[in-house]
Each structure stands twice: as structure tokens, then as C-alpha cells.
Amino acid sequence: MTTSNSFSTIRHEIAGIPVAQLANDFGTPAYIYEAALIRDRIRELNEFDVVRYAQKACSNIAILDLVRRAGGLVDTVSANEIRRALAAGFRPASDPPEIVYTADIFDEEALQLVNEQSIHVNVGSPDMIDQLGERAPGSHITVRVNPGFGHGHSRKTNTGGESSKHGVWHEQLDDCLRRADRHGIAVSGLHMHIGSGTDFEHLASVCGAMERCAMIVGRSLTTISAGGGLPVPYRDSDPTIDLGEYFRLWDATRSKLAEEFGHPISLEIEPGRYLLAECGYLISEIRAVKEMGDNLFYLVDAGFNNLARPIMYGAYHPISISPQHGSERKEHDVVVGGPLCESGDIFTQEEGGVVCARRLPKATVGEYLVIENAGAYGYVMGSNYNSKPFAPEVIIDGGKAHLIRARQSFEEIIRGESIPDWE
Ligand code: LLP
């Protein structure tokens, strides 16, 4: 891993368009994505046989369409994510499957849709095999395995080990094979997603676990998936992943298995954050600058209804100011908060809700503040808390900004609500 990041605290433009113009054209808060960067990211992973985008990171159908055109396939975790994939032109019954459903349960809606559309299933619980087999005997599945250990950027994102709910416990793989057999279902692949964030020593043990599990499955195996979890730097001091080394470790596992089974094994990777995080910005307007004792606050019009990562995980996002006049600004320590009626609505906080200050340029009301690296798990984890609308989403491609989701209206927010005829 190498460390070579340098986040600036001043940002005038995004992909060639001034922040002020974006704010003017689309209003604030707004999500802005850079198409070219997403394409670059997919290209960087082209040594893998399949780059399967984990759309939970950012599921706008325009993003899915872009991923599809760039040669990526897609992962889904719910009935509506399957519908999004279909709406973006991914084909259901295809080889390799363009759409995979990866989850730890089927709700009735997902089970029905998976059957109707012949969606490939990556099961995360043994019960799913019986539920699928009762409806669609004879299909084939992949199994997501929990190898007994995990790794993640916070306790809430650690996806392996005994206290994780994800995947099939490695010692139950045999049981899964028996269940699959009973329904005439073939287990054609294994999948291990062991947390968001990774290091190579840890990865080597994941590859080792994959090899042991593959031996249990045997010759029906044709695919292995490395899952997601490729990290991106959020701070200057964060390392940048060495993709060559990452691929080399997985490729060695793939080769061993191909030799063992005497047929090719396809190697998939399932990134969400890696494709989207650094391509997305949440732009906001500073609406108040106020002192609270020793603390100085910038209050902006975006809140945790737009970006929940800081309040949920104490996640750090680079922040920049877009000065409207001159660019020589002194810096000072600032706490950045949003408009919500809740004290936790702070973008500069650490895990546990500890409010922190950030060294940022002096700015005034009416100037724009950009929260960076916000493309993954940003918009999609938004909410209507305080009846705030979902922000618009905009993608810049070839110097042109396209609105790909309009700001939600009040009518859309209350759609489906009704007042009963009171007694
Ligand atoms: N595949 C599976 C089965 C997953 O569960 C996930 C993420 C991914 C792929 C993509 O992981 P990525 O490459 O994006 O790290 N909301 C949290 C992250 C939750 C990740 C859940 N699963 C955050 O904002 O950091």
C-alpha cells in the first residue's frame, strides 16, 4: 500500500464545472458524481473476469446504466435493487449472470421476483436453499461463506466472525451441499465478503479459507468471488490499495483451484465503495456561522438526512470550501453541522459521537461547502428525517451536468399518507 493523497480544503470546481454554478443550477444540498472517474475505476479492475458492482453503494439507475456500458455486472440485495438492475438494462438469465441477488434472507417479494426473472442467487443462509428449492428445483446457486473471521472499518461494517449475521458459517457448508442436493441444485460458486477495508495479511487468510471451502464443494465449482471491501482513502494518511497485489493473491487462489478441478475458475470482485466513493460530492450552502464558547460552527443546509456516515460510524469525510471571492483564506478550527433538530447532526464527529473541529478556510454565509468522497453510501443511506426531501443527484460527463434524480417534492414526501375518518 502507498500513501499519496492530498485533499485540498479549497475547491472551485467539480469535473470542470464551478461549484457555484452547480449550486445555482441544481440547488443545495445536491449530490454530484463524476462519470469519467467511475469508468476509470471499473477499467482499473479489468484483470478480474467480472467486476460486479455492489449497487447498495449508490443505486441510481443512471449509475447502473453507466456501469453496464463500462462492462460491469451488478449485485442486488433486495427486490427493488433487482428491479433497478432490470430498469438499467441488465439481463437476468445470462452467463455469467448479469444480476446476482446476494442476501441472508429472502422476503416473499424477493423470492418471487428471483424465480420469475431467473435471477442467480448467492445464498447467505442455509434456509434460503430450501426456500429456493421448493420454488425452483434444479437451478444453481453460489454460497456466501463466513470463514469465521472478519475485518471492517467499524463494528457495524465487520462482516465475518461469530457475531456477524452474514453468510453461511464455514462449518455448515456441508449441510448446504446436502440441502442443495435434495433439491437438485448445483453449488457453482463461493463468495467471501469479509468487511469493508482490507490488508494483505488478512486477505491471504481469506484466500486460504476460500481454498479450504472450495475443496469441500468440489468440482461443481466454476466461480469464486472476492466480495467487496476494496478501501479508498478518506484522509491524507490513509493508504491507497495496491490493486496488483490484491489481484495477485486472488489469482493465485483461482489458479490453484483451476488446477485442482481441471477446469477454468472465474474470478469475480464486487466493489461498491471503490467505484463510487471518490466520484461523489455532497455540495451544500453555509447558512450560519456562529460561535459557541470556544467552538466556531458552520451550519450548512445538508444534514445526516443526506449523509449518514459520520453519525453512524464517526466516518471522516474530506471537507472543502468553495470561496466566492478570492482564494487566499486563513484557516481556522470549525465544527461543521447540518440543519436537523438533533445535536448529532454534525459532519465532523468521531465514533461515539465526539464532536471534533476541522481546520478549514474562513468562510461566510452564502458560500458553498463540499463534503467529499461521498458517492458511496451517501444518497442511498439518506432519509426524510425532519421531512427533509431527498437531495437531487447530478452526474457530470464530458463537461456537461445531467440531473439524474430531481429533488423530492413535498407531495412525494407525503405520498401514501392519509388522514383516517376519525370516529
Ligand atoms: N458485497 C457484499 C456482499 C457486501 O455486503 C458489500 C457491502 C459489498 C459487496 C460492497 O462493499 P464495499 O466495496 O462498498 O466496501 N454503509 C457502510 C458500508 C456497508 C457495507 C455493506 N456491504 C459505509 O458507509 O461504510
Side-chain angles (χ1 to χ4, degrees), residues 152-280:
H153 70 69
S154 85
R155 269 183 307 226
K156 289 178 193 149
T157 57
N158 190 327
T159 50
E162 275 184 36
S163 45
S164 164
K165 65 174 181 149
H166 294 301
V168 166
W169 186 246
H170 56 113
E171 289 165 337
Q172 283 200 324
L173 194 49
D174 252 339
D175 172 46
C176 286
L177 293 173
R178 277 193 297 275
R179 288 184 196 227
D181 239 13
R182 273 205 295 278
H183 299 287
I185 295 176
V187 175
S188 61
L190 287 177
H191 172 285
M192 278 184 194
H193 170 82
I194 303 302
S196 301
T198 189
D199 63 64
F200 291 134
E201 213 172 299
H202 179 259
L203 185 60
S205 37
V206 177
C207 291
M210 177 65 93
E211 289 165 24
R212 288 192 296 280
C213 290
M215 293 309 163
I216 297 172
V217 174
R219 294 199 67 249
S220 63
L221 196 89
T222 55
T223 310
I224 55 170
S225 171
L230 279 181
V232 302
Y234 285 94
R235 300 174 189 253
D236 281 337
S237 56
D238 283 348
T240 303
I241 189 157
D242 176 350
L243 281 181
E245 182 61 10
Y246 188 92
F247 174 76
R248 203 189 55 72
L249 281 168
W250 275 112
D251 193 41
T253 291
R254 178 251 295 277
S255 301
K256 267 189 223 164
L257 298 178
E259 198 170 313
E260 178 71 29
F261 298 140
H263 58 238
I265 299 287
S266 166
L267 175 59
E268 296 204 358
I269 189 162
E270 201 171 80
R273 185 186 321 274
Y274 191 74
L275 301 193
L276 258 295
E278 291 161 288
C279 314

Side-chain angles (χ1 to χ4, degrees), residues 19-32 281-285 301 368 391-394 403 407:
V19 173
Q21 186 183 327
L22 292 164
N24 195 49
D25 292 351
F26 302 103
T28 54
Y31 269 99
I32 314 290
Y281 306 80
L282 175 59
I283 63 171
S284 66
E285 185 179 336
D301 55 7
Y368 301 110
E393 291 177 288
V394 172
L403 182 66
R407 188 181 306 282

Side-chain angles (χ1 to χ4, degrees), residues 356-375:
C356 306
R358 185 78 63 90
R359 204 85 195 138
L360 285 177
K362 287 202 161 159
T364 54
V365 167
E367 291 191 303
Y368 301 110
L369 181 142
V370 183
I371 303 177
E372 314 216 349
N373 279 19

